[in-house]
Amino acid sequence: MDDLPLNDLDAFTAIARERSFRAAARKRGVSASSLSDSLRRLEERVGVRLLNRTTRSVTPTEAGQRLLERLAPALGEVSQALQQLDTFRDSPSGTLRLNVPIIAVRLFLPDIANRFLKRYPQISLEIVGEDTFVDVLAAGYDAGIRYDERLEQDMIAVPIGPRRQRYITAASPDYLERRGLPRHPRELLEHDCIRHRFLTSGALAWEFERGADTLTIMPKGPIIANAIEMEVSAAVAGLGVIRTFEELMLPAIESGSLVPILEEWVTEFSGPFLYYASGRHMPAALRAFVDFVREEQRRGG
């Protein structure tokens, strides 16, 4: 067992985590067939079946699950040890894996990422946008972007992107002409509303603020989606009232396709943060990104 190839162990870990040869291959930047070959060699070498494979699923066997639990932290240590060598390079290199909310991908992260990669061409960014609020470290990411109410304990948070954002409410002129103008959030209970759905928590209640007053309602309507393009399109088509980030609706508002309503009940909140674990070795690529983001904030970028 002393001469087990590290690449084969890493391939097994990737497949077991992703529960898919194709997904693991995309993440590793290799072919699915090469991962299959690595797994076959490893199983032949240890003499134990590690993964159950069908045409629809890939799941660890009991032996495979036990190996994964012990192997993943060890491979993480190896990866960190190799990443430390980046500090001896003239320019940081390596892969930086980020887990971010969809709103970050749509509003501000692309510009930051593009400028960062131009400065550090030897670094590659792997960005996964989702609204599932995963444990970034357990899922194999180096860092994540979250809003303050979602930040986990024992994490270092660095401001990134806009520092203040607003939730506003709007509807199309056609809808308002047909259904009337709501003048209080409670009146939305009598209206069709277009809601956003998070994969982990479902459709959330709508929260409103006016000075010291706060109000929460659970609206109803014809559409619940986790795709903002679908939601804004439905609102422009006159299917209902929408409430979301102001930035996402500005083009439609500026064109007159949507009209802001309940403007006294706009909810303002602090912007997002880049966060990562404290008390752990920071890979060179992550250190470079953190420093870059801090520099951008100082310059008002």
Side-chain angles (χ1 to χ4, degrees), residues 6-189:
L6 189 60
N7 285 343
D8 292 350
L9 294 171
D10 185 59
F12 159 72
T13 303
I15 300 165
R17 279 176 169 170
E18 297 295 328
R19 305 295 178 96
S20 164
F21 282 87
R22 289 184 178 179
R26 285 195 300 269
K27 200 162 189 177
R28 286 294 188 273
V30 298
S31 66
S33 61
S34 68
L35 289 184
S36 179
D37 290 341
S38 293
L39 180 63
R40 176 183 50 77
R41 285 195 302 268
L42 180 61
E43 288 182 329
E44 289 177 354
R45 187 71 177 84
V46 300
V48 176
R49 189 174 185 83
L50 300 174
L51 295 176
N52 290 318
R53 285 91 84 185
T54 70
T55 56
R56 294 186 177 182
S57 66
V58 177
T59 57
T61 62
E62 181 179 357
Q65 184 61 40
R66 291 188 181 183
L67 178 60
L68 178 65
E69 291 170 357
R70 299 293 298 273
L71 193 59
L75 289 176
E77 290 294 325
V78 171
S79 177
Q80 288 186 14
L82 293 174
Q83 287 169 349
Q84 284 183 324
L85 298 178
D86 280 337
T87 60
F88 296 94
R89 299 179 187 272
D90 294 334
S91 179
S93 63
T95 299
L96 175 61
R97 298 179 177 88
L98 301 178
N99 182 278
V100 306
I102 297 296
I103 190 67
V105 176
R106 290 195 168 97
L107 292 185
F108 61 86
L109 188 57
D111 286 342
I112 295 174
N114 293 343
R115 291 194 296 272
F116 174 73
L117 291 174
K118 286 181 179 179
R119 180 181 295 186
Y120 299 105
Q122 296 184 52
I123 292 177
S124 61
L125 274 179
E126 180 179 318
I127 299 172
V128 174
E130 58 183 352
D131 291 330
T132 53
F133 307 114
V134 301
D135 182 332
V136 294
L137 298 183
Y141 297 98
D142 298 298
I145 294 177
R146 294 289 182 269
Y147 286 82
D148 53 5
E149 73 272 15
R150 297 286 185 176
L151 290 178
E152 302 170 14
Q153 294 182 347
D154 301 323
M155 303 293 278
I156 297 175
V158 177
I160 186 172
R163 298 324 309 139
R164 301 298 297 176
Q165 292 183 273
R166 306 198 315 163
Y167 252 58
I168 66 171
T169 313
S172 71
D174 171 67
Y175 178 88
L176 295 175
E177 183 178 349
R178 288 185 289 107
R179 300 293 300 273
L181 177 67
R183 301 186 181 278
H184 191 279
R186 290 194 187 92
E187 295 181 21
L188 293 177
L189 295 174

